[in-house]
């Protein structure tokens, strides 16, 4: 059997393609949910971390540091296999979603914080002097400017979240990787794994290229 | 008798350093006051306390139009009445010139978009930059930006305007256009407190000139008196240094 027949077996790929597409759909769902939830939670954490009262600020900081330190796989296994011992039993999807969200929020919070802190002090002072409330200052003045700064790193983080969804296959989520391994077992041929790899790359390459372009455009700290 | 802007025993420290050492000052409605003094004397800190961009010691009291400058609702009321113009303009770079002027009236006073736009255009005409209304601040010259900043502050129809060295960041050829706008403003009855190094402006426009040094008010008087006949050595010393340049 030659290499081509082993790794790029067209016959096997065609047969298992629907399975892989099902997996991709699960991966996309999981990734998008985790990205959106992580953005919301991360923005909240960043605001608390910068403007909160001292005790909550400290809690936000500890959260951010802890969830940036813990390996995602470890967290995922704790959520799925350890929490049931205290009566918290989440489905595979919810386990994966919470683990991905908790970690993504920590990174997102740091990205938002850097973005907000990059806004010159004069913008806050001018808003305050005009009598804008805290909410209006953030919504109308600070965040619109911070968004431009945070879009490239946030996109990077989103790419990481989608890649990390592959870890969900260890808690039996039928995501792209899991479907590929199952298809491989079924067909007794590793082509589906290669197929999955190609799908991941095809899916994420455009995002990666887009980030590079954004970084070049916004790079050098110009505004 | 408390002034329209009333400052009583104002103290402010940055750590162990006392930037303001117990300043008391009453400014009447419609009065134009210029604050002069050497670098580091506390001029900026003083006017930044009036709208509480700087916190100050709890025993100090400031009020504007009878409203105490404290925190919360009362501070919001004060800030709505007090406009401020900064040395570095601090325009909102992501908004057009017109939107810069419209924002606060819409958000703070609840003015409609159409009315805010109309008011903004009137003000931009008044400061002489109506043609730039749809541009972004970054594309304007320094002098134009500062005039937008003045229009933005005026859009709130403030009773008091604070200026912190509004012409110090400008190229010399643009100083005049900003001072002209300020001069015409001085005749409208708005109370103005102006930190400046423009002695010509102070002499010509101010009702009173305040000389500050080392966190204290050293001398207050009509510009003619202060410039022609300063009472204190420190004032004399400062004036001879700036005027003979
Ligand atoms: N945020 C701060 N932290 C520490 N010290 C400060 C701070 N702001 C001002 N100071 C100090 O307080 C003193 C008064 O500063 P202020 O800016 O009010 O002076 P100024 O009279 O406006 O000077 P200039 O003419 O240079 O603008 C200075 O010695 C300054 O170093
Ligand atoms: Mg100053």
């Amino acid at each position: 059997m030659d290499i081509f027949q082993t790794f790029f077996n067209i016959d096997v790929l065609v047969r298992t393609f629907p399975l892989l597409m099902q997996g991709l759909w699960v991966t996309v769902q999981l990734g998008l949910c985790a990205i959106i939830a992580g953005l919301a939670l991360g923005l909240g954490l960043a605001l608390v971390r910068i403007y909160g009262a001292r005790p909550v600020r400290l809690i936000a900081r500890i959260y951010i540091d802890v969830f940036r330190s813990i390996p995602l796989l470890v967290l995922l296994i704790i959520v799925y296999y350890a929490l049931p011992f205290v009566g918290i039993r989440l489905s595979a999807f919810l386990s994966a979603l919470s683990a991905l969200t908790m970690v993504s929020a920590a990174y997102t919070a740091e990205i938002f914080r850097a973005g907000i802190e990059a806004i010159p002090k004069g913008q806050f002072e001018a808003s305050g002097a005009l009598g804008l409330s805290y909410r209006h200052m953030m919504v109308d003045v600070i965040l619109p400017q911070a968004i431009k700064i945070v879009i490239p790193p946030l996109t990077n983080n989103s790419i990481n979240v989608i890649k990390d969804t592959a870890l969900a296959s260890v808690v039996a989520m039928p995501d792209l990787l899991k479907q590929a391994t199952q298809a491989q077992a079924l067909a007794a041929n590793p082509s589906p794994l290669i197929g999955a790899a190609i799908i991941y790359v095809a899916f994420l390459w455009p995002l990666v290229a887009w980030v590079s372009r954004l970084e070049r455009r916004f790079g050098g700290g110009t505004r | 008798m408390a002034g329209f802007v009333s400052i009583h025993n104002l103290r402010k420290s940055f750590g162990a350093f006392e930037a303001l050492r117990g300043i008391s000052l009453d400014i009447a409605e419609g009065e134009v006051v210029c604050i002069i003094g050497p670098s580091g004397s506390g001029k900026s800190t003083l006017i930044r306390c009036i709208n509480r961009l700087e916190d100050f010691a709890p025993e100090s009291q400031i009020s504007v139009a009878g409203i105490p400058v404290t925190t919360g609702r009362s501070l919001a009321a004060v800030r709505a009445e007090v406009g401020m113009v900064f040395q570095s303009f601090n325009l909102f770079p992501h908004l057009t010139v017109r939107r810069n002027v419209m924002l606060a009236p819409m958000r703070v006073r609840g003015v409609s978009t159409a009315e805010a736009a109309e008011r903004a255009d009137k003000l931009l005409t008044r400061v002489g930059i109506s043609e730039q209304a749809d541009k972004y601040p970054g594309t304007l010259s320094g002098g134009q930006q500062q005039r937008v900043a003045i229009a933005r502050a005026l859009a709130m129809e403030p009773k008091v305007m604070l200026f912190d060295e509004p012409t110090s960041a400008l190229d010399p050829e643009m100083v005049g256009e900003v001072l002209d706008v300020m001069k015409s403003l001085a005749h409208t009855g708005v109370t103005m407190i102006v930190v400046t190094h423009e002695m010509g402006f102070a002499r010509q426009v101010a009702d009173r000139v305040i000389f500050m040094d080392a966190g204290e008010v050293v001398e207050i008087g009509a510009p003619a008196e202060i410039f022609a006949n300063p009472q204190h050595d420190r004032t004399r010393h400062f004036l001879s240094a700036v005027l003979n340049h």
Side-chain angles (χ1 to χ4, degrees):
Chain A
M1 233 212 275
D2 63 89
I3 287 195
F4 206 79
Q5 277 302 306
T6 309
F7 291 113
F8 301 96
N9 193 313
I10 300 296
D11 197 37
V12 173
L13 278 175
V14 168
R15 232 178 329 124
T16 54
F17 189 71
L19 216 54
L20 294 187
M21 281 298 116
Q22 275 171 31
L24 176 63
W25 175 232
V26 172
T27 290
V28 167
Q29 276 178 305
L30 183 60
L32 280 186
C33 290
I35 287 166
I36 291 166
L39 281 174
L41 186 59
L43 179 58
L45 274 170
L47 292 178
V48 167
R49 159 110 206 240
I50 305 177
Y51 303 112
R54 194 174 295 242
V56 278
R57 198 164 47 181
L58 186 68
I59 293 172
R61 222 185 100 185
I62 292 173
Y63 175 98
I64 291 167
D65 288 352
V66 166
F67 283 93
R68 288 197 306 163
S69 313
I70 191 164
L72 182 59
L73 184 55
V74 174
L75 181 64
L76 184 61
I77 286 176
I78 288 174
V79 170
Y80 191 69
Y81 292 104
L83 287 189
F85 285 89
V86 292
I88 304 173
R89 200 174 301 274
L90 300 177
S91 69
F93 186 85
L94 276 184
S95 301
L97 177 59
S98 12
L100 282 165
T101 300
M102 285 188 275
V103 169
S104 173
Y107 284 99
T108 308
E110 281 303 271
I111 293 169
F112 275 121
R113 184 173 71 96
I116 291 169
E117 287 180 350
I119 306 299
K121 208 166 123 249
Q123 295 290 305
F124 293 86
E125 295 188 341
S127 309
L130 284 167
L132 294 180
S133 65
Y134 173 78
R135 188 169 67 88
H136 283 134
M137 172 177 83
M138 292 314 287
V139 170
D140 291 317
V141 178
I142 305 304
L143 291 179
Q145 296 183 62
I147 289 293
K148 273 194 206 151
I149 304 172
V150 300
I151 279 183
L154 280 184
T155 311
N156 251 330
N157 183 60
S158 301
I159 291 168
N160 284 333
V161 170
I162 294 178
K163 287 200 288 195
D164 286 345
T165 55
L167 289 174
S169 53
V170 300
V171 295
M173 269 290 286
D175 74 322
L176 178 54
L177 179 59
K178 185 76 184 175
Q179 298 286 28
T181 46
Q182 265 169 1
Q184 175 216 4
L186 233 60
N189 178 290
S191 296
L193 287 176
I194 305 298
I198 292 170
I199 292 173
Y200 276 116
V201 171
F203 193 69
L204 290 175
W205 194 336
L207 278 178
V208 170
W210 188 55
V211 176
S212 309
R213 248 195 33 220
L214 286 181
E215 278 170 345
R216 241 175 298 132
R217 205 165 83 211
F218 296 145
T222 51
R223 199 187 60 232
Chain B
M1 178 209 82
F4 191 67
V5 176
S6 161
I7 297 168
H8 185 72
N9 188 29
L10 177 58
R11 290 178 185 280
K12 164 75 187 174
S13 298
F14 293 105
F17 174 74
E18 261 198 301
L20 299 177
R21 309 165 173 230
I23 289 180
S24 294
L25 195 60
D26 280 302
I27 295 168
E29 184 161 17
E31 198 175 9
V32 178
V33 171
C34 285
I35 303 176
I36 61 172
S39 182
S41 55
K43 306 181 297 291
S44 299
T45 309
L46 170 62
I47 68 164
R48 289 162 58 85
C49 285
I50 295 173
N51 60 358
R52 214 172 178 125
L53 286 185
E54 299 286 355
D55 241 328
F56 43 83
E59 72 266 24
S60 307
Q61 286 165 352
I62 303 181
S63 70
V64 175
I67 313 166
V69 179
T70 52
T71 50
R73 205 170 286 249
S74 157
L75 178 60
V78 167
R79 285 182 167 177
E81 301 301 336
V82 178
M84 188 164 200
V85 175
F86 302 85
Q87 181 175 343
S88 50
F89 326 136
N90 296 345
L91 293 174
F92 304 134
H94 61 299
L95 300 177
T96 62
V97 162
R98 184 185 287 111
R99 283 274 163 191
N100 263 272
V101 181
M102 289 166 64
L103 181 64
M106 288 172 63
R107 294 296 184 263
V108 182
R109 300 239 195 259
V111 173
S112 73
T113 310
E115 198 191 328
E118 195 189 315
R119 229 199 264 182
D121 286 342
K122 244 181 230 162
L123 282 166
L124 290 171
T125 306
R126 183 162 147 203
V127 299
I129 29 182
S130 46
E131 326 82 61
Q132 322 284 350
D134 294 310
K135 294 193 182 162
Y136 285 87
T139 64
L140 269 53
S141 75
Q144 290 172 326
Q145 290 191 50
Q146 194 60 298
R147 285 183 284 151
V148 174
I150 293 173
R152 179 178 69 175
L154 290 177
M156 285 294 287
E157 302 182 325
K159 299 202 171 83
V160 178
M161 284 283 282
L162 308 174
F163 293 85
D164 191 359
E165 299 197 29
T167 57
S168 295
L170 300 179
D171 293 337
E173 72 270 20
M174 293 170 188
V175 170
E177 65 194 51
V178 171
L179 290 182
D180 286 343
V181 169
M182 291 170 62
K183 277 179 204 164
S184 67
L185 191 60
H187 300 302
T188 62
V190 65
T191 308
M192 289 170 61
I193 305 175
V194 185
V195 174
T196 186
H197 290 300
E198 296 292 331
M199 296 303 150
F201 177 84
R203 199 192 298 253
Q204 200 186 333
V205 181
D207 297 310
R208 283 191 295 169
V209 172
I210 296 176
F211 173 68
M212 282 184 71
D213 191 18
E216 292 171 333
V217 169
V218 176
E219 196 164 342
I220 306 185
E225 288 166 39
I226 296 267
F227 288 112
N229 190 18
Q231 298 300 302
H232 288 261
D233 272 350
R234 285 195 277 178
T235 319
R236 226 168 286 148
H237 196 257
F238 172 76
L239 285 176
S240 73
V242 289
L243 294 178
N244 298 334
H245 251 65

